[in-house]
Amino acid sequence: MIWLSWRQFRFPASVIVTAAGLLALALLAVGLPDEALNLFEAERTHIQVYTIATLAMLLLPAVIGMFWGAPLVARELEAGTHRLVWNQSVSRSRWLATKLALIGGAAALVAGALGLLLTWWAEAVHAAQVSGQEAQGIAGALRMEPIMFASRGIVPIGYALFAFALGVTAGTLIRRTVPAMAVTAAVFALVQFAVPPFVRAHLGPTTRTVTVTPENLGGFLIAGKGGPVVEMRVRTTEPGAWMIANETVAPPGQAGFPSFLTSCVRPDAKRMKPIADPACFQRLADLGYRQRVVFQPASRYWTLQAIELAGFTALAAGLFGLTAFWVRRRV
Amino acid sequence: MSTVLRAVGLGKTYGRRAALDDCTLDIPAGRVVGLVGPNGAGKSTLLNLAVGMLAPTSGTIEVLGGTPPEHLAKVGYVAQDTPTYAHLTVADHLALGEHLNPAWDADLARRRIERLGLDPRQRARKLSGGQRAQLALTLGIAKRPELLILDEPVASLDPLARREFLQDLMEAVAEQELSVILSSHLVSDLERVCDHLIVLVASRVRLAGDLDDIVSGHVRVSGPRDAGHPGELVTASHTDVQSTYVVRYDGPIADPTWNVGHLSLEDIVLAYMEQRREPAVRELESVR
């Protein structure tokens, strides 16, 4: 059974493994970024390779699900070859189990190896971000931020297993390869976007209510030039955290911000940085205005990674079970 | 004599449509059994139930004493349209058989492929329909099953390839002493190779028995209109003055009013197939 699984899998395997190998090679060839990396002035190649690798890691599970998962059962059903292979001396349960173990194992291995490689490689990028550097695009996104979270660490293993299982299940239920691939991609993308706000945000975040000071002020959103303040944000004291909510709590009976708030901050043309008036903010605090922040601190990065890895592995196991039932009873 | 396949009240429905209905069968071991019926009669359904590709909705089926697919290793199956892996080579298919079947007869498989003149490096995609059928048959035979089931194996072959395939099958059967069940919608395919026949029409078994008994047990009688008939009626046709019946009857017919004719196997099977289009049959049966 292993022979046949490998014989059928070796082509799709070689395509994705080669692509993954090239990516790893690119990371290694460019070399680890300097520890004192300056994101803004960093070497272009480093930032480019980092961006490409991150995007590739976000796509990898979907690609595995579409090209390794979806055809696994669907192609047999489409070509009618299930009637050949399920009538050898190996039961179809064993046939499925062998394939799932072999290809699922390969998916976990590829995603895991690349995920950890990128984690190791991107350590300097992470350090630069935590030290307060800012940059455009992916290079400026914290690893705790919603979509970035899935691109490295150990969680790609879970995502890859889940996407693979999703593909196999879709292929088994739909019985056609191409529609199953489309469904896999769509459902996986949906899950990828839904998990941060609906799941990760609720996995024991830290909530704090603070008074706004010139030190922790993050910024205003002003309606028109010199108009009233619509929104105010603060910065967390903990660098690298994922800010989930950042909202102003007005005192009872008050709606919106007091009109004096607009003048609390004046632009300073010389220093290219606004100047905030401490007395002004004290007045705001005395009125009872507070800022409520909800965030996942950077220190919970690996805890959340482990939770999500476990969650997605369990989901994959559930889908494998459903597929096994369906293959045995319903096909 | 032992039984290779026993079905009791076996039925399979898809939604509200019955593909096979109340099928009760006993197929003795050591026979080459032909399963004949028009397209859509339920032949494939019955065979798929026998190998466990389908589960029955009612009744039971036992193959080699177990519920399919319990004896997977003992039952060879060549599915309809003889599926093969298009991108795998002939040699790959043999390796597949070898890795997936403990009782695999590698020698037999290699000899067959050689004799058939198949190039081991050829991909299955590039084989002709006949060659593909032969490859599928090789997989089925080299598995060394006790029972070989073939679902319309020759349906897509030209007459020459058809004959070659069946001849080849018979040689293998003679060498290995296996029981065979094969289906076809053509009696002529089966007549040459089978010694037992099952006629399946409109999802019901109409006739089952040894070929010789079937041929000797049916006659065509004609006589004056509506004068009745001997034996069990299969079909009837009438002109103004005369009635012609195909009946199941193997005694002597002495009555001189009857004109007795012999029937070929094909005539008999066709008579059973016609039954479903003859609304008057039930009425006449009750008169009998």
Side-chain angles (χ1 to χ4, degrees):
Chain A
M1 201 41 240
I2 291 174
W3 177 85
L4 177 66
S5 304
W6 170 241
R7 179 66 188 80
Q8 288 182 296
F9 178 55
R10 68 187 188 188
F11 177 70
S14 63
V15 174
I16 291 183
V17 171
T18 305
L22 286 176
L23 195 68
L25 213 64
L27 285 172
L28 295 175
V30 171
L32 276 182
D34 199 17
E35 264 179 55
L37 175 74
N38 185 324
L39 285 180
F40 200 66
E41 298 164 357
E43 258 187 89
R44 263 274 146 69
T45 26
H46 273 109
I47 297 306
Q48 272 168 358
V49 167
Y50 172 68
T51 306
I52 290 168
T54 301
L55 288 175
M57 283 305 289
L58 292 174
L59 287 175
L60 179 71
V63 171
I64 286 177
M66 287 166 73
F67 292 94
W68 288 3
L72 192 111
V73 176
R75 250 185 97 186
E76 304 274 350
L77 296 177
E78 257 176 348
T81 43
H82 65 297
R83 294 174 301 159
L84 174 74
V85 75
W86 292 351
N87 282 292
Q88 305 306 312
S89 304
V90 169
S91 75
R92 58 180 95 165
S93 297
R94 212 181 108 203
W95 173 87
L96 183 69
T98 311
K99 290 209 156 198
L100 292 183
L102 188 83
I103 304 176
L109 205 69
V110 171
L114 272 185
L116 291 175
L117 176 70
L118 186 57
T119 308
W120 170 72
W121 194 93
E123 201 49 53
V125 178
H126 176 63
Q129 287 169 342
V130 169
S131 74
Q133 291 191 39
E134 284 175 12
Q136 292 291 313
I138 293 219
L142 292 165
R143 68 178 188 180
M144 275 299 271
E145 277 179 40
I147 294 294
M148 290 298 288
F149 185 81
S151 70
R152 57 189 204 247
I154 50 175
V155 93
I157 302 172
Y159 275 86
L161 278 175
F162 169 71
F164 172 63
L166 189 65
V168 177
T169 309
T172 308
L173 300 187
I174 301 171
R175 306 177 70 108
R176 310 231 336 261
T177 307
V178 174
M181 288 168 83
V183 167
T184 304
V187 173
F188 182 74
L190 205 70
V191 167
Q192 225 173 11
F193 282 105
V195 161
F198 297 113
V199 181
R200 198 180 304 142
H202 301 285
L203 295 174
T206 306
T207 304
R208 269 192 205 140
T209 306
V210 296
T211 52
V212 184
T213 63
E215 288 74 40
N216 70 12
L217 178 67
F220 285 164
L221 193 67
I222 293 176
K225 198 170 160 66
V229 175
V230 192
E231 204 183 309
M232 179 169 64
R233 294 179 153 262
V234 295
R235 274 197 289 255
T236 48
T237 46
E238 288 166 71
W242 170 36
M243 192 66 88
I244 299 161
N246 192 338
E247 60 203 9
T248 308
V249 184
Q254 287 282 339
F257 294 93
S259 55
F260 66 82
L261 193 58
T262 315
S263 54
C264 284
V265 175
R266 275 172 293 106
D268 183 348
K270 262 182 259 163
R271 291 198 326 190
M272 295 269 295
K273 219 180 163 191
I275 307 169
D277 178 5
C280 203
F281 280 98
Q282 188 56 51
R283 198 176 148 201
L284 186 73
D286 289 345
L287 279 173
Y289 281 92
R290 294 288 182 277
Q291 192 76 4
R292 179 175 163 273
V293 288
V294 181
F295 61 95
Q296 290 283 14
S299 58
R300 295 200 72 216
Y301 182 71
W302 289 107
T303 312
L304 289 175
Q305 285 262 330
I307 293 174
E308 255 176 61
L309 171 61
F312 277 106
T313 308
L315 270 179
L319 288 172
F320 285 152
L322 175 64
T323 307
F325 168 79
W326 209 266
V327 160
R328 213 165 47 232
R329 295 288 160 80
R330 293 296 168 100
V331 173
Chain B
M1 179 172 277
S2 64
T3 312
V4 287
L5 186 151
R6 171 173 290 145
V8 181
L10 185 67
K12 173 77 189 172
T13 50
Y14 293 104
R16 292 177 60 190
R17 194 178 66 81
L20 193 68
D21 195 18
D22 193 23
C23 165
T24 299
L25 272 178
D26 248 319
I27 298 180
R31 303 294 175 89
V32 178
V33 179
L35 180 61
V36 70
N39 292 326
K43 300 188 296 291
S44 287
T45 305
L46 177 58
L47 296 184
N48 278 315
L49 287 165
V51 294
M53 290 300 286
L54 293 175
T57 27
S58 61
T60 57
I61 183 164
E62 266 184 25
V63 173
L64 301 173
T67 307
E70 196 180 318
H71 294 305
L72 209 49
K74 294 186 195 166
V75 181
Y77 180 55
V78 178
Q80 198 165 10
D81 310 321
T82 57
T84 49
Y85 287 102
H87 57 285
L88 295 192
T89 64
V90 171
D92 283 334
H93 279 88
L94 297 192
L96 180 157
E98 185 157 12
H99 282 96
L100 266 54
N101 297 291
W104 182 256
D105 190 336
D107 259 359
L108 174 78
R110 204 176 38 247
R111 267 187 284 119
R112 272 186 58 87
I113 294 301
E114 266 170 32
R115 186 162 50 77
L116 294 163
L118 295 182
D119 178 0
R121 285 162 306 175
Q122 185 98 311
R123 285 182 195 277
R125 180 176 57 219
K126 300 226 170 124
L127 297 176
S128 72
Q131 289 173 321
R132 213 165 19 239
Q134 290 285 16
L135 178 58
L137 178 64
T138 303
L139 279 175
I141 289 175
K143 182 183 177 181
R144 285 282 184 186
E146 285 177 28
L147 170 66
L148 181 62
I149 295 178
L150 304 106
D151 191 358
E152 305 239 9
V154 294
S156 58
L157 305 188
D158 62 57
L160 188 65
R162 214 173 259 247
R163 173 175 296 188
E164 278 174 5
F165 182 91
L166 291 173
Q167 243 162 29
D168 196 69
L169 173 66
M170 284 310 104
E171 278 166 29
V173 170
E175 276 171 31
Q176 294 189 38
E177 296 173 354
L178 38 77
S179 307
V180 177
I181 304 176
L182 80 158
S183 71
S184 175
H185 57 276
L186 292 178
V187 188
S188 52
D189 286 336
L190 301 176
E191 201 170 10
R192 262 200 301 264
V193 295
C194 296
D195 46 30
H196 193 94
L197 196 74
I198 297 165
V199 179
L200 203 60
V201 181
S203 69
R204 286 178 167 273
V205 175
R206 293 298 155 110
L207 177 68
D210 282 352
L211 220 57
D212 298 340
D213 296 343
I214 291 174
V215 174
S216 63
H218 288 82
V219 285
R220 178 192 283 122
V221 292
S222 43
R225 166 129 204 180
D226 294 337
H229 58 83
E232 190 183 328
L233 181 76
V234 180
T235 52
S237 60
H238 308 280
T239 62
D240 285 346
V241 294
Q242 194 183 339
S243 292
T244 304
Y245 305 101
V246 171
V247 294
R248 193 167 188 171
Y249 185 75
D250 59 359
I253 299 176
D255 192 335
T257 50
W258 292 112
N259 196 347
V260 181
H262 273 283
L263 292 161
S264 69
L265 185 66
E266 186 150 17
D267 294 330
I268 299 167
V269 171
L270 284 175
Y272 277 93
M273 287 187 188
E274 266 169 31
Q275 257 189 332
R276 70 178 164 155
R277 276 181 262 131
E278 193 121 23
V281 167
R282 290 220 165 273
E283 229 174 270
L284 280 166
E285 262 177 343
S286 61
V287 171
R288 184 185 79 204

